Amino acid sequence: MTKFQAEIDVMPKKEILDPQGKAVTGSMKNLGLPEIENVRIGKHVSLQVEAATEAEASEKVDKACKSLLANLIMESYSFTLHAV
Amino acid sequence: MTKFQAEIDVMPKKEILDPQGKAVTGSMKNLGLPEIENVRIGKHVSLQVEAATEAEASEKVDKACKSLLANLIMESYSFTLHAV
């Protein structure tokens, strides 16, 4: 078995309103950073998974995203995997 | 001026307890994914910044992280930048 490190981003879908992101974009102006725009805020999840192959590890991470880490109605997810 | 896309990860520092991560690790077992361990949960922030150079863009993103996006006592941050 090999241990894999997964780095997962779970972000609000583009068409979904992101009030938190809007608020932070506004705050950037108060910080003297008006050049910063389109702030969107989501989750970053890192985890380790044991699997025989990278494909198997990918399946497990995908299952974890679908069933727990992401709300598929409002969020989309992406991840990278590398052996450690 | 060039527009840059920044992808920022803000994670709890390793020495800081991550109860949310621990809880999710436990839930993985109930989902039939006992091979998943060491879940850590933080923020992923994406934003766009206008700057003359990549170095200038990096400075602005760094300032945004230090003053707003990350709590430097408990969190560490990293980011990537690419011109869009």
Side-chain angles (χ1 to χ4, degrees), chain A residues 1 3 9-11 24 27-28 31-33 35-50 60-61 63-64 67-69, chain B residues 1 3 9-11 24 27-28 31-33 35-50 60-61 63-64 67-69:
Chain A
M1 296 284 262
K3 193 167 264 194
D9 288 330
V10 179
M11 296 298 283
V24 171
S27 306
M28 292 296 179
L31 279 175
L33 291 168
E35 309 83 4
I36 289 187
E37 293 167 348
N38 299 327
V39 177
R40 292 176 61 244
I41 299 176
K43 289 183 289 244
H44 182 76
V45 181
S46 70
L47 56 83
Q48 289 177 345
V49 53
E50 286 221 358
K60 292 178 192 287
V61 173
K63 181 179 175 188
S67 37
L68 188 64
L69 300 175
Chain B
M1 296 285 263
K3 192 167 265 194
D9 288 330
V10 179
M11 296 298 283
V24 170
S27 306
M28 293 295 180
L31 281 175
L33 291 167
E35 309 82 2
I36 289 187
E37 293 168 350
N38 299 327
V39 177
R40 293 175 63 244
I41 299 178
K43 290 184 289 248
H44 182 76
V45 181
S46 70
L47 56 83
Q48 288 177 347
V49 53
E50 286 221 358
K60 291 180 192 290
V61 173
K63 182 180 174 186
S67 40
L68 188 64
L69 300 175

Side-chain angles (χ1 to χ4, degrees), chain A residues 42-84:
Chain A
K43 289 183 289 244
H44 182 76
V45 181
S46 70
L47 56 83
Q48 289 177 345
V49 53
E50 286 221 358
T53 64
E54 182 153 342
E56 194 188 300
S58 184
E59 258 173 59
K60 292 178 192 287
V61 173
D62 206 59
K63 181 179 175 188
C65 289
K66 285 195 165 96
S67 37
L68 188 64
L69 300 175
N71 168 344
L72 297 183
I73 296 167
M74 305 179 52
E75 296 171 326
S76 56
Y77 65 89
S78 59
F79 60 87
T80 59
L81 265 179
H82 64 273
V84 289

